[in-house]
Amino acid sequence: MSELVSPALIQTLTERLGAHRVLTAPEDIVPYGFDGTATLKQRPLAVVFARSADEVSFVLKLAREHRVPVVTRGSGTGLSGGSVPLAGAIVLCLAKMDRILEVDAANLTLLAEAGAITQKVFDAADSAGLFYPPDPGSMKISTIGGNVAENSGGLRGLKYGVTRDYVMGMEVVLADGSICWLGSKCVKDVAGYNLRDLFIGSEGTLGVVTRVLLKLLPKPAARQTLLATFSAMDAAAGTVSAIIAAKIIPCTLEFLDKKTIQCVEDFAKVGLPRDAEAILLIETDGHAAAVADEAAKIAELCRAHGATNVKLAADAAESTKLATARRSAFSALARLRPTTILEDVTVPRSELAGMIRAVEAIAQKHNLNIATFGHFGDGNLHPTILTDERDTEEMHRVELAFADIVEETLKRNGTITGEHGVGLAKKPFLKRQLGDNSFELLRLVKRALDPDALLNPGKIFD
Amino acid sequence: MSELVSPALIQTLTERLGAHRVLTAPEDIVPYGFDGTATLKQRPLAVVFARSADEVSFVLKLAREHRVPVVTRGSGTGLSGGSVPLAGAIVLCLAKMDRILEVDAANLTLLAEAGAITQKVFDAADSAGLFYPPDPGSMKISTIGGNVAENSGGLRGLKYGVTRDYVMGMEVVLADGSICWLGSKCVKDVAGYNLRDLFIGSEGTLGVVTRVLLKLLPKPAARQTLLATFSAMDAAAGTVSAIIAAKIIPCTLEFLDKKTIQCVEDFAKVGLPRDAEAILLIETDGHAAAVADEAAKIAELCRAHGATNVKLAADAAESTKLATARRSAFSALARLRPTTILEDVTVPRSELAGMIRAVEAIAQKHNLNIATFGHFGDGNLHPTILTDERDTEEMHRVELAFADIVEETLKRNGTITGEHGVGLAKKPFLKRQLGDNSFELLRLVKRALDPDALLNPGKIFD
């Protein structure tokens, strides 16, 4: 259908946006056919770049007229295939809408266009003595609009929450091209349904977010990073429970298993203990005295629960070096084999130790190379399967392992995705997690907001 | 319509629920015809008490069959008329579903039935050494389901947020009687649209929330309360801005004007300065050293911005006494005149001083008795009109003043309701605040979830 109408459509798009903002040549559009998810790709019909909500509205209206699907995209760092287009779809790229429009220190807010890079949002807040906490692994290149679309997490989730917790308002363009503003600078606002939260995490399937009003916090006065080494995985998991039981909520509580430690150390050379079975990277922040107290208590708990070594970062530079090393885990692991498949399961914290043992057993059962790291404090694990997509037999085992991991997660009342989204990768498992009634409710909302099914179709559910 | 079908409907309800859980006698149902909002009342057709989600489902299915509207209700402490029934409606009361089902210390969660009293939720968390922060003024009698339906705020909103920020999951019964579970114990969960947040604050118009899974926090180790006295309202407002500008986020930052101070002192006799123009009641909590530091800085800022006196509470008992006095503001004011109309406007914090001056000018213009108190740190004001609903001429001036206050609020990019909801009271103003497109989007969602318009119809919008 869409292949037929494309010449007229492309011409109208080019007239409005200019030829340089409408790409159709195969060599130009190939990079827009995949995101950060392994094994998924599909060439779109065209790629268009919008610079304003009005232009987004124009594109959506035109797409509706021609009944062509639209897949919105930022930097394409997603890890569930959420921005991988369908055949015959237009990719609507917002990367050129990248301005930070306002930092309002009196109201502790920041207004940005959807294409603004997350790191720039953080830096703009930081320059005003303020703090934007969400820090997804890809924050140096991801866009804030992409973070909102996927409700991205990050390393500070335990204490500070995720992207959702910092979105106060947004400009969103609906399927029919109408432009809405949702939310306000008021820290409390109960005027009408909360639709802002419906769009957060909706992966571009309900509308196109074009501006985001973010909440900022005062910058914490002090921070301290600890590195605890364990000779047994269970001891590390037990330590996490003990920290929470002691009523301590560190801002970061990250975990790396032996394979990940060795890869990261090869890659970043920061002095991680290569022979450890597991490490915890823990950060506490806030008032200097509170940080000192908490760090001391955490160190004590680590030792009491079997840490063979607990090291406190000597200064901010060392803290940053350790955090950067952790942040490089995915890239470091990706160097080992041609294909890196990152899982994103999350379980209630109390199920953590059992879940990790289950992942190890699944790796053995299917004879696969699985390295695990993740946000232990959030119960969010990233078992990472190191494989080769050209090896059909191994890929079959990968699929079986993937299904087993999901099975274990659901058995433990966990979720199939903690922070990466459903996209294409987790679509087959969503209904089982949600149950029939909740799943049907999702579809009902989708039909109401996108009756022609043109906004990122085929994602989350069919 | 519904008056005709009622005998068969009542009979079926009685057969399932028992006669003691189906009230129809006028003297029994009168108390279910109003909530905490002045001047609004309407007798329902019947009042039914459910004890489980299955019973709620039964009631909704039956109501649908008979095309009778259903108005869900907890303790009826709402302040926007959200639970005032339409004529011919069934009131579905959840007050008997009041159990705390689980406190899970390992995962920091609490599961309660919708009718559980907010104070009991707080106490259950407290007994486990944990903390449920949202504390609406009515928490001693309000239900957690009502708090969720209205997304209630409270005195700790500045640092800890509102009810929404603590809802991790819920059981909800839809208009067709299907029972859904939304959310999980996972602190990160992006599996599908966030519909949980759509139901929070939807005032019973999209479904009936029957169970709530709440997030708890560790209990703060220390707290300190300050009482700052001002001889000018502007100085108090300026102090609030200065505290935020100093990157301090107290947990409570409450304001009382002269009229409110005098009423509260008459009522509670806690030693408030009767001659002050304004007082700020400020509380900081957390690590003991952080609290001491913050309290000292706050006291210094108060003095630098014109406080004539700053008093630190000597101990926890005095802190509690001051907080209780503030909590009594509404009741204290309600003793002065027969009718008390509580406003709930919220502005961005930077607009606070201007908004307070505007409210004073409006009181003078319409020759009305308006006392103002509220959550200054949130920009959330409760200008309280002390009047008499039997005086038609004065009530006309009240209406004009009400409209003027809304006008001023919207001019300052504020919201017509910070924490009380739209209900009936704010319905006439919602479209102006949201704009046509966002307003239509609300209606579209309502039509999708409640196609027969039987769930609390006539609330939020027509």
Side-chain angles (χ1 to χ4, degrees), chain B residues 12 16 34 41 47 104 133 135 147 174 177-178 185 187 192 255 262 305 312 340 344 384 455 457:
Chain B
T12 317
R16 169 79 187 250
F34 54 88
K41 47 183 159 291
V47 180
D104 179 345
D135 58 344
N147 295 172
L174 303 183
S178 61
K185 276 193 188 177
V187 296
F255 159 85
Q262 292 177 349
H305 287 81
L312 272 75
T340 316
D344 175 41
T384 305
L455 295 178

Side-chain angles (χ1 to χ4, degrees), chain B residues 153-459:
Chain B
L155 273 66
R156 299 192 190 101
L158 177 55
K159 178 171 173 181
Y160 289 106
V162 295
T163 303
R164 180 184 305 286
D165 300 307
Y166 296 87
V167 179
M168 297 181 74
M170 59 171 65
E171 180 186 67
V172 61
V173 186
L174 303 183
D176 65 2
S178 61
I179 302 172
C180 296
W181 178 261
L182 306 172
S184 71
K185 276 193 188 177
C186 299
V187 296
K188 284 166 161 178
D189 186 352
V190 294
Y193 302 147
N194 179 325
L195 297 176
R196 178 189 68 203
D197 275 285
L198 183 60
F199 288 96
I200 301 170
S202 68
E203 309 190 13
T205 65
L206 299 178
V208 178
V209 175
T210 45
R211 287 187 177 194
V212 190
L213 179 70
L214 298 166
K215 166 177 142 178
L216 304 177
L217 297 181
K219 214 187 290 188
R223 61 175 174 143
Q224 175 66 62
T225 305
L226 294 89
L227 179 72
T229 307
F230 295 86
S231 54
M233 184 91 85
D234 270 18
T239 301
V240 172
S241 303
I243 291 171
I244 304 290
K247 315 278 193 297
I248 299 171
I249 305 283
C251 74
T252 295
L253 217 173
E254 294 289 309
F255 159 85
L256 279 71
D257 74 355
K258 188 170 198 164
K259 271 188 204 123
T260 313
I261 295 167
Q262 292 177 349
C263 280
V264 167
E265 187 52 24
D266 289 345
F267 184 79
K269 301 195 174 54
V270 289
L272 299 184
R274 295 183 56 93
D275 54 341
E277 280 301 314
I279 58 172
L280 292 179
L281 186 70
I282 309 169
E283 189 167 295
T284 160
D285 69 3
H287 184 277
V291 166
D293 261 19
E294 274 194 7
K297 274 185 207 152
I298 291 169
E300 195 185 308
L301 286 165
C302 287
R303 286 188 202 103
H305 287 81
T308 54
N309 187 33
V310 182
K311 190 181 151 189
L312 272 75
D315 51 27
E318 194 177 354
S319 288
T320 305
K321 201 170 71 174
L322 288 169
T324 308
R326 157 61 190 88
R327 238 171 240 290
S328 72
F330 178 53
S331 322
L333 288 168
R335 297 162 72 225
L336 288 196
R337 302 241 7 232
T339 308
T340 316
I341 298 181
L342 193 64
E343 252 295 350
D344 175 41
V345 294
T346 302
V347 290
R349 284 187 203 106
S350 56
E351 295 288 338
L352 205 51
M355 188 64 204
I356 287 174
R357 279 194 298 270
V359 171
E360 286 184 331
I362 290 165
Q364 287 200 336
K365 177 181 163 195
H366 298 289
N367 187 27
L368 287 168
N369 200 350
I370 304 187
T372 295
F373 63 96
H375 318 294
F376 246 36
D378 303 330
N380 185 191
L381 296 180
H382 295 312
T384 305
I385 309 184
L386 309 174
T387 182
D388 182 345
E389 61 183 298
R390 295 162 303 186
D391 182 340
T392 355
E393 187 278 327
E394 184 168 316
M395 286 308 285
H396 177 63
R397 282 184 281 123
V398 167
E399 268 171 41
L400 295 176
F402 204 72
D404 280 358
I405 290 174
V406 166
E407 188 67 31
E408 275 294 334
T409 305
L410 296 179
K411 220 161 66 185
R412 294 168 194 277
N413 295 313
T415 172
I416 55 172
T417 173
E419 56 181 7
H420 293 167
V422 177
L424 291 168
K426 294 299 176 70
K427 194 167 74 164
F429 309 110
L430 184 65
K431 194 173 181 174
R432 258 205 64 207
Q433 177 178 331
L434 298 187
D436 290 355
N437 290 352
S438 298
F439 185 76
E440 283 312 313
L441 186 58
L442 253 64
R443 287 165 45 109
L444 185 135
V445 169
K446 167 74 175 174
R447 280 196 301 271
L449 268 75
D450 180 22
D452 303 313
L454 294 177
L455 295 178
N456 206 8
K459 306 300 164 58

